[in-house]
Amino acid sequence: MLDERERPDVGERVWFPNKTWDDRLGHVFVTGTVEEAIKEYSYVKLDEEIALQSQSGSPIISQKTGKVIGTLSRGGNEEGVIFFILCPAKEIANIIASDPGVVPLKEPVGKSDAPE
């Protein structure tokens, strides 16, 4: 379920479902903290170093509400500290609520030769 707040609280604790073949569920939860939160994005630092691997779009879950505060847009490693930049859940909910209909693939990917 998407969190309907404009943005999470700075200092809010989160869970990230990190992909792994070693767990029967296919993921283990890694904890982190919201370091910055504005309308356009949230910045999260994880508590432990992980290998980033094709995880764009993964949900980041608030420990406060149990809801998705955003999806992973970008991630990186700064001196052993893993950080994420999130697409806010509120903006995702707004787009869904606007019922944009069918959008040709060439529009979101910006390629005129993309399939319709």
Side-chain angles (χ1 to χ4, degrees):
M1 178 172 277
L2 295 174
D3 195 317
E4 296 179 10
R5 295 178 293 164
E6 188 75 28
R7 59 185 168 266
D9 299 327
V10 171
E12 190 167 332
R13 300 288 293 154
V14 298
W15 289 298
F16 170 67
N18 189 36
K19 295 189 302 187
T20 179
W21 296 107
D22 298 332
D23 190 90
R24 69 178 182 78
L25 295 176
H27 71 273
V28 293
F29 284 112
V30 176
T31 56
T33 304
V34 174
E35 298 288 325
E36 181 179 352
I38 61 174
K39 182 180 183 232
E40 293 79 14
Y41 69 89
S42 294
Y43 181 87
V44 170
K45 284 187 182 177
L46 295 185
D47 295 338
E48 61 188 83
E49 191 170 1
I50 62 169
L52 296 172
Q53 51 177 336
S54 303
Q55 293 160 303
S56 294
S58 295
I60 309 300
I61 304 161
S62 167
Q63 291 185 21
K64 179 178 178 179
T65 66
K67 296 179 180 180
V68 174
I69 62 167
T71 58
L72 176 56
S73 177
R74 283 188 179 170
N77 184 332
E78 276 183 5
E79 300 176 10
V81 176
I82 301 295
F83 68 88
F84 293 153
I85 296 175
L86 310 184
C87 175
K90 178 70 173 170
E91 294 303 312
I92 296 168
N94 289 345
I95 291 168
I96 292 169
S98 75
D99 189 19
V102 176
V103 177
L105 183 59
K106 65 183 176 184
E107 287 183 29
V109 299
K111 293 184 178 181
S112 60
D113 62 342
E116 294 288 327

